[in-house]
């Protein structure tokens, strides 16, 4: 095993000793209780199972058969979650076949960042994660279940479900994906049309036609953004049925993998293999997830989400941990925006199984962790699922060679010897940058600042032709406290246009970029945020900013005395009022006020 993996894991274990120990004591206390139907009063039991068929009541109460709770993010607004409509019936049927019972314990909200990009609704997006975690807790707090199945795919949904599940760490849990949509208009062609629209070269009709050709059916979007990064990380954590991540929703294999989720959760509920999620997700599993993210050039959003996930299990990680791993972990895949391929091509080339196999064999992952798979080892996730002649799922070894070395490579011949994420530090605070998709010629940008207090300000300046020059766009008051930390993905097309014209441009912000952030260098998640007194509030138009992704620095090149004497800019009363009202933003005021920093996972419950 690589020494960096050992060193970072040991440091996390030492840092987390008190919080992890306290967490495990609570988990073990919950495990020692009698089963739900034995522990509860008769009226409680009657209410819990009133709507079940009599045979199921008999199984649960008299026969003490395993009882599975399902938490689902189903809605038919999101393409990724629409396939879940029929999953409960399939899962219930499989549970009955295996002598168990199953109830849908509850549903959680699932919003689409693609729908809300650049709109007020995006200001609810980040905090929807903690809302989903609380919804998961509400569902499971009926406390009658022996195990749980979690149905969710997209950006905040999987982290929210996982945070919620880890607060019920005494339960064995399996996550059940739904798969990606089939390939449509390529992601690179879609991006070109967006840039053409930003320049006024095509109209709304052409843009809508391109977007509709890209997003055209059931399943997740096909680029390697946050949603698909979620699935990669769950595979690396051993929380899926092996190989389930990127099988199409309507493939015959998908239903059988869904049925296998029941078999797998019952397998880890049995006394001889009892594996509750709280015991399973330890420091090593969290590090494996971090490595998988870095090796695949995954979403920057997970530098927020997985900090929160880890904290839910009593594990404390920070961006320095990510950065040190990134210096050593090789980049093994190129999927849009880090390449031209989509996730279907990634899957065809070997997908998560190939990457996990390579990382394990090269010593970049902990292979001695528990998983939900049949043998309980991470090596099961380096195999390929398929159907045998009896329509049952079986797994075969992953091919030695990549199916397409333009998409996936071996650890011996990676795309890059280092991962795709960098930590930036300096007099502007701490931030991260995704460099795997940024041309090397743009890894260092030094230019005058143009300061905006909203993304609309930048867009308006672009439309007015005011940005035809080298500059660093500073977009502040976009952090968790200010307005819920929306993604600023709408800024990518205009900045990409300017970069394409030969201008040296970059973005510096205390907001987020999408998991699809790409070729424009962007120092994001800057902490502390401007509204919390962060130094981004000191920047003025014309200050020279140096973003150096090679050295890992982010500096305002202002003399120290001038910098120290400056007051922080204040958010305008109008912006403060707008951020707090409309489209339900009033209901999230408490979350904005209590949120931790981005590096602390922007959690609202600590």
């Amino acid at each position: 095993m690589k020494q960096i993996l050992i060193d970072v894991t040991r440091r996390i274990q030492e840092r987390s000793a008190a919080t992890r120990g306290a967490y495990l004591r609570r988990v073990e206390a919950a495990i020692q209780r009698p089963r739900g139907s034995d522990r509860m009063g008769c009226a409680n039991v009657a209410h819990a199972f009133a709507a079940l068929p009599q045979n199921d009541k008999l199984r649960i109460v008299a026969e003490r058969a395993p009882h599975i709770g399902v938490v689902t993010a189903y809605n038919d607004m999101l393409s990724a979650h629409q396939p879940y409509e029929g999953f409960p019936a399939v899962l219930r049927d499989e549970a009955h076949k295996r002598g168990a019972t199953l109830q849908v314990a509850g549903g959680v909200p699932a919003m689409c960042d693609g729908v809300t990009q650049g709109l007020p609704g995006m200001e609810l997006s980040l905090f929807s994660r903690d809302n989903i975690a609380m919804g998961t807790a509400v569902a499971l707090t009926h406390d009658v279940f022996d195990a749980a199945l979690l149905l969710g795919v997209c950006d905040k949904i999987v982290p929210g479900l996982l945070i919620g599940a880890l607060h019920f760490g005494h339960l064995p849990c399996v996550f059940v994906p739904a798969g990606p949509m089939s390939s449509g208009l390529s992601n690179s062609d879609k991006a070109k049309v967006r840039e053409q629209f930003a320049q006024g070269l095509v109209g709304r009709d052409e843009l809508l036609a391109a977007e509709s050709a890209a997003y055209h059916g059931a399943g997740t979007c096909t680029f390697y953004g946050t949603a698909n990064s979620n699935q990669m990380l769950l595979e690396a954590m051993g929380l899926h049925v092996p190989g389930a991540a990127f099988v199409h929703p309507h493939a015959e294999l998908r239903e059988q993998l869904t049925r296998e989720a029941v078999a797998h959760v019952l397998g880890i509920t049995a006394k001889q293999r009892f594996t509750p999620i709280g015991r399973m997700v330890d420091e090593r599993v969290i590090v494996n997830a971090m490595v998988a993210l870095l090796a695949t050039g995954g979403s920057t959003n997970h530098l927020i989400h997985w900090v929160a996930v880890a904290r839910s299990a009593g594990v404390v990680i920070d961006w320095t941990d990510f950065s040190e791993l990134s210096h050593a972990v090789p980049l093994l895949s190129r999927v849009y925006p880090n390449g031209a391929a989509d996730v279907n091509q990634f899957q065809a080339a070997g997908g998560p199984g190939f990457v996990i196999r390579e990382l394990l064999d090269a010593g970049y992952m902990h292979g001695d962790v528990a998983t939900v798979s049949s043998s309980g080892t991470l090596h099961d996730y380096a195999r390929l699922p398929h159907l045998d002649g009896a329509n049952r799922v079986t797994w075969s070894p992953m091919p030695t060679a990549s199916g397409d070395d333009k998409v996936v490579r071996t650890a011996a011949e990676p795309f890059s010897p280092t991962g795709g994420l960098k930590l930036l530090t300096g007099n502007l605070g701490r931030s991260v940058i995704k460099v795997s998709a940024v041309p090397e010629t743009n890894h260092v940008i030094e230019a005058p600042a143009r300061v905006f207090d909203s993304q609309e300000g930048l867009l308006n300046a672009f439309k007015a032709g005011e940005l035809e020059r080298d500059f660093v766009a500073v977009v502040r008051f976009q952090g968790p406290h200010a307005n819920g930390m929306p993604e600023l993905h709408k800024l990518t097309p205009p900045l990409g246009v300017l970069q394409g014209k030969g201008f040296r441009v970059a973005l510096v912000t205390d907001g987020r970029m999408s998991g699809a952030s790409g070729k424009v260098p962007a120092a994001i998640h800057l902490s502390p945020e401007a509204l919390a007194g962060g130094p981004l509030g000191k920047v003025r138009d014309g200050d020279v900013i140096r973003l150096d992704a090679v050295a890992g620095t982010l500096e305002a090149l202002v003399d120290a005395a001038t910098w120290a004497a400056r007051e922080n800019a204040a958010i305008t009363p109008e912006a403060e009022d707008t951020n707090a009202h409309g489209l339900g933003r009033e209901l999230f005021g408490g979350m904005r006020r209590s949120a931790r920093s981005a590096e602390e996972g922007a959690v609202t419950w600590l």
Side-chain angles (χ1 to χ4, degrees), residues 361-429:
D361 288 354
Y364 290 105
M365 294 183 89
H366 294 280
D368 58 344
V369 296
T371 73
V372 306
S373 66
S374 55
S375 73
T377 71
L378 192 57
H379 292 275
D380 287 339
Y381 292 80
R383 297 189 298 161
L384 194 64
H386 54 85
L387 295 178
D388 65 12
N391 208 37
R392 293 173 302 199
V393 182
T394 186
W395 287 264
S396 59
M398 190 64 59
T400 303
S402 167
D404 185 343
D405 64 8
K406 296 184 181 65
V407 181
V408 181
R409 290 189 182 173
T410 64
E413 297 181 332
F415 290 102
S416 167
T418 61
L421 293 167
K422 295 272 288 191
L423 172 67
L424 303 178
T425 61
N427 66 356
L428 288 176

Side-chain angles (χ1 to χ4, degrees), residues 85-160:
E85 182 175 13
F87 276 40
V90 171
L91 295 168
R92 188 176 293 109
D93 177 67
E94 190 65 25
H96 285 157
K97 288 179 178 178
R98 295 179 179 273
T101 54
L102 179 147
Q103 284 178 300
V104 175
V108 297
M111 64 179 289
C112 179
D113 292 352
V115 175
T116 58
Q117 280 288 352
L119 301 173
M122 174 54 82
E123 296 179 13
L124 278 61
S125 174
L126 177 60
F127 294 145
S128 76
R129 181 199 69 197
D130 289 8
N131 183 283
I132 290 161
M134 288 185 282
T136 304
V138 169
L140 296 179
T141 204
H142 292 105
D143 206 21
V144 296
F145 304 108
D146 300 302
L149 297 173
L150 293 308
L151 280 58
V153 180
C154 284
D155 294 22
K156 315 313 165 300
I157 294 88
V158 164

Side-chain angles (χ1 to χ4, degrees), residues 555-591:
E555 298 274 350
L557 303 184
V558 179
D559 72 84
T562 301
W563 188 250
R566 274 190 191 168
E567 292 186 1
N568 279 52
I571 191 170
T572 66
E574 294 79 12
E576 192 172 32
D577 185 69
T578 297
N579 292 346
H581 297 93
L583 291 181
R585 284 178 284 188
E586 300 89 341
L587 298 171
F588 288 73
M591 287 184 158

Side-chain angles (χ1 to χ4, degrees), residues 450-516:
R450 179 69 191 272
V451 181
F452 303 95
D453 289 348
S454 69
Q455 59 182 324
E456 292 79 15
L458 190 155
L459 293 170
N460 290 336
F462 173 78
K463 291 173 184 175
E466 299 173 6
L467 303 179
E468 300 279 322
R469 55 187 172 85
D470 295 353
F471 73 103
V472 173
V474 172
V475 184
R476 61 194 180 192
F477 300 117
Q478 304 298 307
H481 284 293
N483 62 352
M485 205 179 187
E487 289 181 348
L488 305 178
H489 190 39
K490 286 283 188 182
L491 303 183
T492 301
L495 292 174
V497 167
L498 294 167
Q499 182 173 274
K501 290 182 175 182
F503 297 115
R504 306 283 290 169
V505 298
L507 173 68
V508 175
T509 182
D510 51 8
R512 293 185 296 131
M513 288 293 284
S514 167

Side-chain angles (χ1 to χ4, degrees), residues 523-538:
I524 58 178
H525 308 171
L526 197 61
S527 299
E529 64 176 284
L531 194 68
L536 196 64
K538 292 188 174 188

Side-chain angles (χ1 to χ4, degrees), residues 242-436:
F246 297 131
V247 176
H248 189 270
H250 300 316
E252 192 173 6
L253 178 59
R254 168 57 64 199
E255 180 176 332
Q256 299 309 314
L257 286 167
T258 300
R259 290 180 178 276
E260 279 292 327
V262 176
H264 278 62
V265 82
L266 291 176
I268 59 173
T269 304
K271 287 184 179 180
Q272 60 269 31
R273 277 200 61 219
F274 182 61
T275 313
I277 190 171
R279 289 180 184 167
M280 178 183 156
V281 178
D282 62 10
E283 295 91 340
R284 298 167 301 161
V285 170
I286 294 295
V287 168
N288 281 351
M290 296 162 73
V291 168
L293 180 75
L294 297 165
T296 55
S299 170
T300 53
N301 279 326
H302 289 314
L303 273 77
I304 299 174
H305 294 324
W306 249 251
V307 173
V309 166
R311 191 64 179 82
S312 301
V315 177
V316 182
I317 61 174
D318 60 29
W319 292 346
T320 299
D321 300 325
F322 279 100
S323 182
E324 291 188 11
L325 289 170
S326 186
H327 286 312
V329 172
L331 184 67
L332 301 186
S333 68
R334 285 208 175 275
V335 188
Y336 187 86
N338 301 320
D342 67 14
V343 293
N344 294 306
Q345 293 167 289
F346 174 54
Q347 174 75 359
F354 190 93
V355 171
I356 290 170
R357 194 270 310 281
E358 289 298 307
L359 292 171
L360 281 169
D361 288 354
Y364 290 105
M365 294 183 89
H366 294 280
D368 58 344
V369 296
T371 73
V372 306
S373 66
S374 55
S375 73
T377 71
L378 192 57
H379 292 275
D380 287 339
Y381 292 80
R383 297 189 298 161
L384 194 64
H386 54 85
L387 295 178
D388 65 12
N391 208 37
R392 293 173 302 199
V393 182
T394 186
W395 287 264
S396 59
M398 190 64 59
T400 303
S402 167
D404 185 343
D405 64 8
K406 296 184 181 65
V407 181
V408 181
R409 290 189 182 173
T410 64
E413 297 181 332
F415 290 102
S416 167
T418 61
L421 293 167
K422 295 272 288 191
L423 172 67
L424 303 178
T425 61
N427 66 356
L428 288 176
R430 288 166 66 88
S431 66
V432 294
I433 183 171
K434 183 176 179 177
V435 294
S436 53

